[in-house]
């Protein structure tokens, strides 16, 4: 019987392989044509009608003739998605709705995909083996707008000009409003760029923009009498924004084996690419970068010095392998890459095997966190010491019937829980809980990161991580950060096997931001470091890198067991004057097994 069963299985697999097809669609034949005023309706119709025609084994290719394709929000597909590290909205507007697609290739052929409104251009949900390649993503109505300083006066205030493609008005309350196809904004903060070098202005940081009482002086020119900043000079370009981040350009949820190749994101209302609960993501030649000057004649904003409102790429609670290579990341308001898990907080001890645990950060909730069989451990939020490893015996949403939109999980554990795993008085909940199964290997190599705010690369995974042969050029904060925080951001993951080698750091850390104590900053948030028993990070090797730097602090490290800093070349630059409070090349707090040469 066993031999017959095996034969039947083999014949079934052969039959499936025989009937699997490779189908190529030329999208122009389905009304998705370059030059059209809006391709949203024919695209949505095609995806909805064609998907049911294919088996999971079919290979489908959507080919776009090279050109400019426009997509608008009025006829976008509405879906309920909860996107990590973004504003949690009840419904999202989706253009390429790729839920449930397998073995799919979208070949842009070098096209420009231009969107308007607060849409998610690409949403991949429960997909397997999808390849996106050969196109760019841009928006007609970016919410971050460039303000050029005309005059800066300590008495009269700030005079600035706005490009003619930006729609403006003055609110009833008297402040500046900017408008897009389906949004209205009120710029409250800004970053200053040098127009020649595109570097963020040295020591200007991120500053308040106060347009209360603003007056229109002439066409496109305004005077803000309450906005005064001596750091800002005529000719500087300010990337002005509010704090909202509604949508990423590419959203991956619960996907496996996703590849993105030769894709450029020129603007996004949130992040360039956000992946949550995904396994194996490969980005090759994926860039978040400014538009080429040669494209300035196509009724799109030219010469924008900024790109995304937040990170270029962000990976939340993923596993498998994350591979990012050959990319250009510039002009972001945050990091080039951030890889982390999510800490939940223990809210209630139901019995010796059961807890209620909750998402804590306002921009990270509503999606799945773990599965039955996952390995977990608990974290003391004051010392960041780990304890009580266990496995999940069962997990379900507590505050909703389905996973979407929930904030609290009921989690059952295989082994009895120690009494220390419980909420405590005077604390915002009890210990944290970390999922060790949903942690990826990370490879970040041969990328160029430049002229962005905050930080370059953030790594928070205990699995093997390599950051190699990258260039970090005028990153205005820390170039590389190893963090971990169970009190504010709730981003989990201690690094246990990290190599930083053969990178080049060129005059980074020209401004203060969070966690920016040195060019490379190992800075877990530990409120009570004196009471810590273990070490948060371990086995970190920083070797054979080159630092070109105008100031002193190269390495800051806290709570590390096993730190090597060896074979690195340091060359002094006189581009800027030293300013950092940290005057030590190597500042170490509670670090052991150190080798610094």
């Amino acid at each position: 019987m066993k031999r017959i069963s095996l034969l039947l299985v083999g014949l079934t697999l052969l039959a499936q392989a025989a009937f699997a097809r490779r189908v190529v669609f030329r999208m122009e034949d389905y009304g998705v044509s370059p030059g059209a005023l809006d391709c949203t309706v024919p695209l949505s119709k095609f995806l909805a009608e064609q998907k049911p025609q294919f088996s999971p084994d079919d290979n489908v290719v959507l080919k776009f003739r090279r050109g400019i394709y426009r997509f608008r929000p009025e006829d976008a597909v509405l879906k309920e998605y909860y996107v990590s590290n973004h504003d949690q909205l009840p419904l999202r507007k989706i253009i390429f709705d790729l839920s449930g697609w397998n073995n799919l290739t979208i070949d842009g052929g070098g096209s420009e995909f231009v969107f308007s409104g607060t849409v998610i251009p690409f949403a991949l949900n429960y997909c397997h083996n999808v390849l996106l390649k050969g196109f760019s993503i841009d928006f007609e109505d970016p919410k971050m707008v460039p303000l050029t300083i005309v005059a800066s006066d300590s008495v009269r205030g700030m005079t600035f000009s706005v490009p003619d493609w930006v729609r403006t008005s003055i609110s009833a309350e008297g402040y500046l409003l900017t408008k897009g196809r389906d949004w209205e904004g009120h710029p409250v903060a800004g970053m200053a760029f040098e127009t020649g070098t595109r570097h963020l202005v040295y020591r200007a940081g991120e500053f308040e923009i106060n347009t209360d009482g603003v007056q229109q002086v002439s066409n496109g020119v305004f005077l803000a009498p309450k906005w005064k900043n001596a750091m800002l000079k005529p000719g500087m370009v300010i990337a002005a924004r509010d704090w909202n981040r509604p949508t990423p350009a590419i959203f991956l949820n619960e996907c496996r084996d996703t590849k993105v190749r030769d894709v450029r994101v020129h603007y996004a209302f949130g992040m360039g690419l956000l992946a949550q609960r995904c396994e194996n993501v490969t980005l090759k030649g994926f860039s978040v970068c400014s538009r080429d000057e040669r494209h300035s004649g196509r009724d799109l904003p030219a010469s924008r010095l900024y790109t995304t409102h937040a990170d270029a790429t962000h990976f939340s609670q993923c596993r498998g392998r994350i591979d990012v290579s050959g990319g250009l990341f510039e002009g972001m308001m945050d990091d080039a890459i951030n890889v982390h898990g999510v800490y939940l907080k223990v809210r209630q001890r139901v019995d010796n095997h059961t807890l209620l645990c909750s998402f804590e950060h306002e921009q990270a909730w509503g999606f799945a966190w773990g599965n039955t069989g996952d390995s977990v451990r608990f974290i003391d939020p004051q010392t960041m010491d780990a304890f009580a490893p266990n496995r999940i015996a069962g997990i379900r949403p507590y505050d909703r019937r389905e996973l979407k939109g929930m904030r609290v999980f009921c989690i059952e554990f295989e082994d009895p829980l120690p009494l220390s795993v419980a909420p405590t008085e005077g604390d915002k909940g009890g210990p944290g809980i970390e999922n060790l199964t949903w942690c990826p290997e990370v490879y970040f190599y041969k990328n160029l990161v430049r002229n962005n705010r905050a930080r370059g690369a953030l790594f928070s995974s205990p699995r093997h991580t390599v950051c190699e042969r990258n260039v970090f050029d005028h990153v205005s904060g820390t170039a590389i950060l190893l963090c971990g925080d169970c009190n504010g951001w709730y981003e989990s993951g201690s690094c246990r096997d990290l190599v930083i080698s053969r990178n080049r750091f060129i005059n980074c850390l020209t401004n203060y931001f969070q966690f920016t104590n040195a060019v490379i900053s190992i800075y877990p948030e530990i409120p009570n470091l004196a009471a810590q028993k273990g070490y948060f990070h371990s086995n970190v090797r920083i070797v054979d890198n080159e630092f070109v730097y105008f100031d002193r602090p190269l390495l800051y490290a806290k709570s590390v067991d096993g730190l090597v800093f060896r074979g690195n070349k340091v060359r002094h630059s006189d581009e800027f004057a030293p300013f950092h409070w940290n005057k030590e090349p190597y500042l170490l707090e509670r670090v052991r097994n150190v080798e610094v040469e």
Side-chain angles (χ1 to χ4, degrees):
M1 289 295 293
K2 288 183 178 179
R3 296 176 67 180
I4 294 173
S5 298
L6 290 172
L7 178 61
L8 289 173
V9 170
L11 290 172
T12 301
L13 291 174
L14 286 172
Q16 290 175 346
F19 286 105
R21 300 169 294 170
R22 184 178 188 273
V23 184
V24 178
F25 290 97
R26 300 189 183 279
M27 298 305 294
E28 193 171 18
D29 297 338
Y30 295 85
V32 185
S33 304
L37 292 176
D38 184 10
C39 295
T40 308
V41 171
L43 175 67
S44 298
K45 183 175 184 291
F46 170 86
L47 293 173
E49 291 180 353
Q50 294 298 328
K51 184 179 179 297
Q53 310 298 321
F54 300 103
S55 75
D57 297 312
D58 290 334
N59 289 282
V60 180
V61 180
L62 311 186
K63 289 187 72 69
F64 291 78
R65 181 165 66 87
R66 183 167 184 167
I68 300 176
Y69 295 80
R70 299 184 183 278
F71 305 91
R72 293 178 175 172
E74 288 81 4
D75 296 302
V77 176
L78 293 177
K79 286 288 183 73
E80 183 183 9
Y81 285 135
Y82 292 84
V83 184
S84 182
N85 294 82
H86 283 73
D87 302 336
Q88 299 300 21
L89 309 172
L91 290 174
R92 312 277 181 171
K93 300 173 184 177
I94 313 297
I95 301 299
F96 283 79
D97 176 25
L98 303 179
S99 186
W101 280 86
N102 297 321
N103 304 315
L104 173 69
T105 296
I106 293 183
D107 184 354
S111 294
E112 300 175 50
F113 293 158
V114 180
F115 305 85
S116 61
T118 51
V119 302
I120 298 180
F122 288 84
L124 282 65
N125 182 46
Y126 286 92
C127 296
H128 172 232
N129 192 31
V130 172
L131 168 63
L132 309 178
K133 70 172 186 177
F135 57 84
S136 66
I137 294 173
D138 205 351
F139 282 77
E140 294 177 342
D141 54 347
K143 196 176 185 183
M144 198 183 319
V145 298
L147 310 179
T148 302
I149 302 301
V150 175
S152 179
D153 191 293
S154 60
V155 178
R156 295 187 67 242
M158 199 75 64
T159 304
F160 60 91
S161 65
V162 179
D164 55 9
W165 53 265
V166 178
R167 293 168 53 197
T168 61
S169 65
I170 297 176
S171 72
E173 295 79 12
Y175 53 77
L176 182 71
L177 289 176
T178 58
K179 298 180 180 181
R181 196 171 190 91
D182 65 352
W183 58 264
E184 187 172 81
H186 170 209
V188 296
M191 292 290 297
F193 288 84
E194 298 175 353
T195 54
T197 64
R198 299 197 172 203
H199 302 334
L200 272 72
V201 171
Y202 166 72
R203 296 199 67 182
E206 185 160 28
F207 45 80
E208 178 188 12
I209 294 176
N210 186 348
T211 63
D212 289 352
V214 69
Q215 308 158 23
Q216 186 163 358
V217 176
S218 59
N219 188 31
V221 179
F222 297 84
L223 170 65
K226 296 183 180 179
W227 180 16
K228 298 171 184 178
N229 188 333
M231 293 288 295
L232 304 183
K233 308 296 183 185
M236 287 183 180
V237 177
I238 311 304
R241 61 173 180 151
D242 58 24
W243 297 114
N244 299 326
R245 50 170 80 168
T247 51
I250 300 175
F251 172 51
L252 311 179
N253 180 63
E254 300 276 0
C255 295
R256 290 185 295 120
D257 302 327
T258 306
K259 301 177 182 66
V260 183
R261 190 168 71 223
D262 298 328
V263 170
R264 302 179 311 282
V265 175
H266 297 309
Y267 175 79
F269 285 85
M271 297 177 178
L273 180 144
L274 185 284
Q276 66 189 29
R277 292 269 301 179
C278 292
E279 183 174 355
N280 301 332
V281 180
T282 301
L283 310 182
K284 187 174 183 180
F286 174 77
S287 296
V288 171
C289 57
S290 301
R291 289 184 58 81
D292 193 305
E293 296 286 347
R294 292 171 296 178
H295 295 159
S296 61
R298 296 179 174 174
D299 70 351
L300 286 171
S303 303
R304 290 202 305 252
L305 305 181
Y306 50 83
T307 51
T308 57
H309 282 243
D311 301 349
T313 67
H314 198 107
F315 302 88
S316 177
Q317 204 85 352
C318 294
R319 68 180 181 181
R321 175 173 171 137
I322 293 171
D323 197 309
V324 181
S325 66
L328 166 61
F329 304 105
E330 64 179 355
M332 308 85 66
M333 291 297 104
D334 269 313
D335 323 313
I337 182 172
N338 187 351
V339 182
H340 65 84
V342 179
Y343 287 120
L344 301 181
K345 273 273 196 176
V346 174
R347 286 296 172 183
Q348 182 180 337
R349 185 183 177 102
V350 178
D351 57 41
N352 288 339
H353 283 267
T354 310
L355 300 172
L356 298 185
C357 303
S358 64
F359 284 117
E360 293 298 305
H361 196 275
E362 284 302 312
Q363 290 180 327
W365 56 273
F367 49 90
W369 180 85
N371 303 91
T372 298
D374 286 356
S375 296
V376 300
R377 65 179 180 179
F378 295 90
I379 300 289
D380 182 335
Q382 294 302 305
T383 64
M384 297 299 285
D385 283 322
F387 64 101
N390 213 318
R391 284 186 179 275
I392 296 176
I395 180 170
R396 60 179 175 83
Y398 176 76
D399 52 341
R400 292 186 67 154
R401 291 185 178 181
E402 58 180 4
L403 285 173
K404 284 184 180 179
M406 76 291 176
R407 300 190 74 148
V408 182
F409 295 92
C410 182
I411 307 178
E412 299 176 37
F413 297 89
E414 291 183 357
D415 299 327
L417 298 164
L419 295 177
S420 56
V421 179
T424 55
E425 293 184 8
D427 184 19
K428 298 193 309 185
I433 176 173
E434 175 184 11
N435 192 323
L436 298 175
T437 297
W438 286 85
C439 298
E441 293 185 10
V442 184
Y443 297 85
F444 186 76
Y445 57 99
K446 293 185 178 179
N447 300 289
L448 171 57
V449 184
R450 67 186 182 192
N451 302 335
N452 68 295
R453 171 191 177 277
R455 295 155 295 268
L458 279 69
F459 303 112
S460 299
S461 176
R463 302 195 190 280
H464 185 54
T465 300
V466 175
C467 179
E468 189 172 71
R469 289 184 285 178
N470 304 287
V471 176
F472 296 89
D473 181 6
H474 289 80
V475 174
S476 69
T478 285
I480 297 176
L481 171 66
L482 314 184
C483 197
D485 180 2
C486 196
N487 295 280
W489 292 105
Y490 295 92
E491 295 183 358
S492 71
S494 55
C495 294
R496 300 292 182 186
D497 180 12
L498 171 66
V499 178
I500 300 171
S501 72
R502 291 185 284 176
N503 301 285
R504 193 161 189 249
F505 303 92
I506 304 171
N507 285 335
C508 299
L509 196 52
T510 57
N511 286 285
Y512 288 130
F513 297 101
Q514 190 179 25
F515 311 121
T516 53
N517 282 8
V519 174
I520 296 177
S521 189
I522 305 175
Y523 195 149
E525 280 282 28
I526 306 172
N528 191 354
L529 184 63
Q532 189 185 55
K533 297 176 182 178
Y535 294 83
F536 190 74
H537 295 293
S538 61
N539 193 19
V540 178
R541 287 155 287 167
I542 305 168
V543 295
D544 300 329
N545 301 281
E546 180 184 1
F547 295 83
V548 179
Y549 194 35
F550 62 91
D551 212 332
R552 294 282 288 170
L554 301 176
L555 171 65
Y556 170 80
K558 176 168 62 175
S559 187
V560 185
D561 183 2
L563 174 62
V564 175
F565 189 93
R566 183 180 63 225
N568 300 292
K569 298 178 181 178
V570 181
R571 182 159 58 87
H572 178 72
S573 167
D574 59 3
E575 182 177 3
F576 305 109
F579 78 98
H580 204 282
W581 62 264
N582 180 6
K583 302 303 179 185
E584 301 295 329
Y586 320 107
L587 179 58
L588 312 179
E589 295 186 69
R590 200 167 189 279
V591 176
R592 73 175 184 180
N593 296 321
V594 183
E595 179 185 345
V596 175
E597 293 183 4

